[in-house]
Amino acid sequence: MADLTNFTQDNSQKTFSELLCKAEFAGKAHSELIFLSVLNTFLSVTAFLENTLILVALHKDTSLYPPSKLLFRNLAITDLLVGITAEPLYVVYLMSEVRERWDVCFYVPASGVTAIHILFSMSFLTMTAISVDRLFALSLRLRYRQVVTFKRTCITIIGLWICSIVGASSWFLNPVITARYQYIGTALCLFITFFAYTKIFFILRHNRIHVQAPTFQRQLNQAIPMNIARYRKAVYSAL
Protein backbone atom coordinates (compact mmCIF):
# COMPACT_ATOMS: atom_id res chain seq x y z
CA MET A 1 0.00 0.00 0.00
CA ALA A 2 1.33 3.40 -0.86
CA ASP A 3 2.39 5.68 1.99
CA LEU A 4 0.01 8.60 1.63
CA THR A 5 1.95 11.71 2.57
CA ASN A 6 1.51 15.41 2.54
CA PHE A 7 3.73 18.36 3.40
CA THR A 8 2.99 20.75 6.24
CA GLN A 9 3.97 24.39 6.35
CA ASP A 10 7.35 23.55 7.90
CA ASN A 11 8.00 21.14 4.99
CA SER A 12 7.83 18.09 7.25
CA GLN A 13 6.35 15.03 5.62
CA LYS A 14 3.34 13.47 7.32
CA THR A 15 0.96 10.65 6.51
CA PHE A 16 -2.73 11.23 5.89
CA SER A 17 -3.61 9.67 9.26
CA GLU A 18 -1.11 11.86 11.11
CA LEU A 19 -2.67 14.97 9.57
CA LEU A 20 -6.12 13.91 10.80
CA CYS A 21 -5.07 12.69 14.25
CA LYS A 22 -3.87 15.76 16.14
CA ALA A 23 -3.91 16.29 19.88
CA GLU A 24 -4.16 20.09 19.38
CA PHE A 25 -7.30 19.71 17.24
CA ALA A 26 -8.97 17.30 19.67
CA GLY A 27 -8.36 19.68 22.58
CA LYS A 28 -9.79 22.73 20.81
CA ALA A 29 -12.89 21.01 19.34
CA HIS A 30 -13.76 18.57 22.12
CA SER A 31 -17.48 19.46 22.36
CA GLU A 32 -17.86 19.63 18.56
CA LEU A 33 -16.39 16.15 18.18
CA ILE A 34 -18.79 14.73 20.77
CA PHE A 35 -21.76 16.44 19.08
CA LEU A 36 -20.74 14.99 15.68
CA SER A 37 -20.32 11.55 17.25
CA VAL A 38 -23.84 11.62 18.72
CA LEU A 39 -25.32 12.98 15.48
CA ASN A 40 -23.66 10.35 13.29
CA THR A 41 -24.64 7.57 15.71
CA PHE A 42 -28.27 8.71 15.38
CA LEU A 43 -27.96 8.89 11.56
CA SER A 44 -26.35 5.45 11.48
CA VAL A 45 -29.26 3.89 13.39
CA THR A 46 -31.92 5.65 11.29
CA ALA A 47 -30.16 4.72 8.03
CA PHE A 48 -30.10 1.08 9.13
CA LEU A 49 -33.75 0.98 10.22
CA GLU A 50 -35.21 2.96 7.31
CA ASN A 51 -33.35 1.08 4.58
CA THR A 52 -34.19 -2.24 6.22
CA LEU A 53 -37.87 -1.27 6.03
CA ILE A 54 -37.43 -0.26 2.39
CA LEU A 55 -35.90 -3.67 1.57
CA VAL A 56 -38.80 -5.42 3.32
CA ALA A 57 -41.31 -3.29 1.39
CA LEU A 58 -39.56 -4.04 -1.91
CA HIS A 59 -39.62 -7.76 -1.11
CA LYS A 60 -43.38 -7.66 -0.59
CA ASP A 61 -44.07 -5.47 -3.63
CA THR A 62 -45.20 -7.44 -6.69
CA SER A 63 -46.17 -4.62 -9.06
CA LEU A 64 -42.67 -3.22 -9.64
CA TYR A 65 -40.79 -4.54 -12.68
CA PRO A 66 -37.94 -6.85 -11.43
CA PRO A 67 -35.04 -4.87 -13.02
CA SER A 68 -36.40 -1.63 -11.54
CA LYS A 69 -36.87 -3.32 -8.18
CA LEU A 70 -33.26 -4.55 -8.35
CA LEU A 71 -32.01 -0.98 -8.81
CA PHE A 72 -34.04 0.25 -5.83
CA ARG A 73 -32.77 -2.67 -3.75
CA ASN A 74 -29.20 -1.85 -4.68
CA LEU A 75 -29.70 1.78 -3.64
CA ALA A 76 -31.24 0.72 -0.32
CA ILE A 77 -28.40 -1.76 0.32
CA THR A 78 -25.82 0.94 -0.47
CA ASP A 79 -27.43 3.37 1.99
CA LEU A 80 -27.77 0.53 4.51
CA LEU A 81 -24.02 -0.11 4.24
CA VAL A 82 -23.41 3.59 4.88
CA GLY A 83 -25.31 3.20 8.14
CA ILE A 84 -23.42 0.11 9.31
CA THR A 85 -19.91 0.82 7.99
CA ALA A 86 -19.04 4.37 6.92
CA GLU A 87 -20.83 6.27 9.70
CA PRO A 88 -19.71 3.93 12.53
CA LEU A 89 -16.11 4.24 11.28
CA TYR A 90 -16.49 8.00 11.33
CA VAL A 91 -17.81 7.84 14.91
CA VAL A 92 -14.84 5.64 15.93
CA TYR A 93 -12.48 8.20 14.40
CA LEU A 94 -14.18 11.09 16.23
CA MET A 95 -14.18 9.30 19.58
CA SER A 96 -10.55 8.26 19.17
CA GLU A 97 -9.78 11.99 18.80
CA VAL A 98 -11.81 12.81 21.91
CA ARG A 99 -10.16 10.08 24.02
CA GLU A 100 -6.78 10.66 22.32
CA ARG A 101 -6.49 7.02 21.33
CA TRP A 102 -3.95 7.64 18.58
CA ASP A 103 -3.27 3.90 18.13
CA VAL A 104 -6.90 3.58 16.94
CA CYS A 105 -7.07 6.93 15.16
CA PHE A 106 -4.13 6.21 12.83
CA TYR A 107 -5.83 3.12 11.34
CA VAL A 108 -9.41 4.32 10.99
CA PRO A 109 -9.14 7.15 8.38
CA ALA A 110 -7.86 4.96 5.52
CA SER A 111 -10.64 2.37 5.87
CA GLY A 112 -13.27 5.03 6.57
CA VAL A 113 -12.36 7.18 3.57
CA THR A 114 -12.30 4.13 1.30
CA ALA A 115 -15.75 2.98 2.46
CA ILE A 116 -17.18 6.49 2.09
CA HIS A 117 -15.80 6.89 -1.46
CA ILE A 118 -17.11 3.49 -2.58
CA LEU A 119 -20.60 3.92 -1.12
CA PHE A 120 -20.90 7.59 -2.12
CA SER A 121 -20.01 6.73 -5.72
CA MET A 122 -22.31 3.71 -5.77
CA SER A 123 -25.24 5.67 -4.38
CA PHE A 124 -24.89 8.41 -7.00
CA LEU A 125 -24.39 5.93 -9.84
CA THR A 126 -27.44 3.89 -8.78
CA MET A 127 -29.66 6.98 -8.55
CA THR A 128 -28.48 7.94 -12.04
CA ALA A 129 -29.27 4.44 -13.31
CA ILE A 130 -32.77 4.69 -11.78
CA SER A 131 -33.42 7.97 -13.61
CA VAL A 132 -32.27 6.43 -16.91
CA ASP A 133 -34.43 3.36 -16.23
CA ARG A 134 -37.49 5.57 -15.70
CA LEU A 135 -36.74 7.42 -18.94
CA PHE A 136 -36.42 4.13 -20.86
CA ALA A 137 -39.72 2.92 -19.39
CA LEU A 138 -41.49 5.97 -20.78
CA SER A 139 -39.72 6.40 -24.11
CA LEU A 140 -39.40 2.73 -25.13
CA ARG A 141 -42.92 1.71 -24.03
CA LEU A 142 -43.55 -1.80 -25.42
CA ARG A 143 -39.85 -2.36 -26.17
CA TYR A 144 -38.86 -1.52 -22.60
CA ARG A 145 -39.13 -5.08 -21.27
CA GLN A 146 -37.11 -6.36 -24.22
CA VAL A 147 -34.31 -3.84 -23.77
CA VAL A 148 -34.19 -3.59 -19.97
CA THR A 149 -33.90 -7.16 -18.73
CA PHE A 150 -32.99 -8.57 -15.33
CA LYS A 151 -29.71 -10.00 -16.65
CA ARG A 152 -28.61 -6.69 -18.20
CA THR A 153 -29.52 -4.85 -15.01
CA CYS A 154 -27.41 -7.28 -12.95
CA ILE A 155 -24.46 -6.74 -15.30
CA THR A 156 -24.94 -2.97 -15.05
CA ILE A 157 -24.98 -3.04 -11.24
CA ILE A 158 -21.86 -5.22 -11.12
CA GLY A 159 -20.14 -2.77 -13.48
CA LEU A 160 -21.14 0.16 -11.26
CA TRP A 161 -19.71 -1.56 -8.17
CA ILE A 162 -16.45 -2.22 -10.03
CA CYS A 163 -16.22 1.43 -11.10
CA SER A 164 -16.85 2.58 -7.53
CA ILE A 165 -14.27 0.22 -6.03
CA VAL A 166 -11.61 1.05 -8.63
CA GLY A 167 -12.21 4.78 -8.21
CA ALA A 168 -11.97 4.56 -4.41
CA SER A 169 -8.89 2.32 -4.57
CA SER A 170 -7.01 5.00 -6.49
CA TRP A 171 -6.98 6.93 -3.20
CA PHE A 172 -4.15 4.67 -2.02
CA LEU A 173 -2.06 5.67 -5.04
CA ASN A 174 -2.92 9.36 -5.17
CA PRO A 175 -5.80 11.05 -3.30
CA VAL A 176 -5.92 13.75 -5.99
CA ILE A 177 -6.98 11.15 -8.58
CA THR A 178 -9.87 10.04 -6.35
CA ALA A 179 -10.92 13.65 -5.72
CA ARG A 180 -11.00 14.40 -9.45
CA TYR A 181 -12.86 11.14 -10.10
CA GLN A 182 -15.47 12.16 -7.51
CA TYR A 183 -15.86 15.70 -8.89
CA ILE A 184 -16.18 14.57 -12.51
CA GLY A 185 -18.38 11.58 -11.64
CA THR A 186 -20.72 13.60 -9.44
CA ALA A 187 -21.12 16.34 -12.06
CA LEU A 188 -21.77 13.75 -14.79
CA CYS A 189 -24.32 11.87 -12.67
CA LEU A 190 -26.16 15.08 -11.79
CA PHE A 191 -26.24 16.12 -15.45
CA ILE A 192 -27.59 12.75 -16.64
CA THR A 193 -30.18 12.64 -13.83
CA PHE A 194 -31.31 16.21 -14.51
CA PHE A 195 -31.53 15.49 -18.26
CA ALA A 196 -33.48 12.25 -17.73
CA TYR A 197 -36.10 13.71 -15.37
CA THR A 198 -36.45 16.88 -17.46
CA LYS A 199 -37.13 14.78 -20.56
CA ILE A 200 -39.56 12.62 -18.57
CA PHE A 201 -41.64 15.59 -17.46
CA PHE A 202 -41.67 17.05 -20.98
CA ILE A 203 -42.96 13.72 -22.35
CA LEU A 204 -45.57 13.46 -19.58
CA ARG A 205 -46.74 16.99 -20.31
CA HIS A 206 -46.98 16.16 -24.02
CA ASN A 207 -48.99 13.00 -23.25
CA ARG A 208 -51.37 14.89 -20.96
CA ILE A 209 -52.18 17.31 -23.78
CA HIS A 210 -52.82 14.49 -26.24
CA VAL A 211 -54.99 12.58 -23.77
CA GLN A 212 -57.57 15.39 -24.09
CA ALA A 213 -59.06 13.77 -27.17
CA PRO A 214 -62.62 12.86 -28.21
CA THR A 215 -64.46 10.54 -25.83
CA PHE A 216 -64.47 7.48 -28.11
CA GLN A 217 -60.68 7.78 -28.62
CA ARG A 218 -60.08 8.05 -24.88
CA GLN A 219 -62.17 4.94 -24.31
CA LEU A 220 -60.20 3.10 -26.99
CA ASN A 221 -56.88 4.03 -25.30
CA GLN A 222 -58.12 3.86 -21.73
CA ALA A 223 -55.20 1.67 -20.62
CA ILE A 224 -52.60 4.25 -21.68
CA PRO A 225 -53.69 7.07 -19.31
CA MET A 226 -53.95 4.55 -16.45
CA ASN A 227 -50.42 3.33 -17.09
CA ILE A 228 -49.15 6.90 -17.36
CA ALA A 229 -50.77 7.74 -14.01
CA ARG A 230 -49.06 4.79 -12.34
CA TYR A 231 -45.80 5.67 -14.05
CA ARG A 232 -46.01 9.28 -12.88
CA LYS A 233 -46.44 8.06 -9.30
CA ALA A 234 -43.38 5.82 -9.70
CA VAL A 235 -41.33 8.77 -10.99
CA TYR A 236 -42.28 10.93 -7.99
CA SER A 237 -41.39 8.02 -5.71
CA ALA A 238 -37.99 7.73 -7.40
CA LEU A 239 -37.36 11.46 -6.95
Side-chain angles (χ1 to χ4, degrees):
M1 181 183 299
D3 184 21
L4 299 174
T5 57
N6 200 352
F7 289 93
T8 58
Q9 292 179 349
D10 58 356
N11 291 327
S12 60
Q13 203 174 33
K14 291 188 177 182
T15 64
F16 179 76
S17 295
E18 288 172 341
L19 290 172
L20 290 179
C21 301
K22 292 182 178 180
E24 316 88 70
F25 175 73
K28 293 178 181 178
H30 191 273
S31 58
E32 289 83 352
L33 292 173
I34 293 177
F35 170 75
L36 288 174
S37 299
V38 174
L39 176 62
N40 279 273
T41 300
F42 172 75
L43 293 175
S44 176
V45 173
T46 55
F48 171 77
L49 294 176
E50 289 176 356
N51 286 285
T52 300
L53 291 175
I54 290 173
L55 289 172
V56 172
L58 288 171
H59 178 72
K60 293 182 178 180
D61 184 87
T62 57
S63 61
L64 198 61
Y65 186 48
S68 300
K69 183 187 290 189
L70 183 61
L71 289 172
F72 281 108
R73 275 179 174 167
N74 186 68
L75 181 60
I77 289 172
T78 302
D79 293 339
L80 179 65
L81 290 174
V82 170
I84 63 178
T85 59
E87 286 182 331
L89 283 172
Y90 185 51
V91 172
V92 171
Y93 159 70
L94 293 173
M95 294 308 298
S96 66
E97 285 266 10
V98 172
R99 297 181 178 276
E100 298 186 3
R101 290 291 305 273
W102 310 123
D103 55 332
V104 176
C105 185
F106 287 147
Y107 292 102
V108 172
S111 56
V113 168
T114 304
I116 288 170
H117 277 305
I118 292 174
L119 297 174
F120 174 83
S121 300
M122 195 61 207
S123 183
F124 253 79
L125 290 170
T126 305
M127 286 190 290
T128 304
I130 289 173
S131 67
V132 174
D133 172 70
R134 293 297 82 202
L135 177 59
F136 282 171
L138 183 61
S139 57
L140 295 178
R141 296 295 180 94
L142 297 177
R143 293 180 55 242
Y144 169 69
R145 292 177 180 264
Q146 299 174 355
V147 175
V148 181
T149 62
F150 189 82
K151 181 179 179 180
R152 289 175 178 173
T153 305
C154 287
I155 294 173
T156 300
I157 290 176
I158 292 172
L160 296 180
W161 275 106
I162 293 174
C163 289
S164 300
I165 293 172
V166 170
S169 299
S170 64
W171 186 84
F172 294 102
L173 299 175
N174 188 343
V176 177
I177 297 176
T178 305
R180 289 176 178 173
Y181 166 80
Q182 292 286 0
Y183 292 145
I184 296 172
T186 301
L188 186 61
C189 286
L190 288 173
F191 173 78
I192 294 174
T193 303
F194 177 78
F195 172 80
Y197 282 117
T198 301
K199 191 171 180 61
I200 285 171
F201 284 112
F202 271 114
I203 296 175
L204 287 175
R205 184 174 180 276
H206 181 266
N207 286 341
R208 183 167 52 185
I209 294 174
H210 279 70
V211 162
Q212 297 173 354
T215 305
F216 71 90
Q217 187 174 353
R218 291 209 306 268
Q219 291 176 349
L220 184 64
N221 301 317
Q222 188 175 4
I224 296 177
M226 290 175 61
N227 290 336
I228 291 296
R230 190 199 305 181
Y231 172 82
R232 186 182 291 108
K233 183 179 179 180
V235 169
Y236 284 127
S237 298
L239 281 172

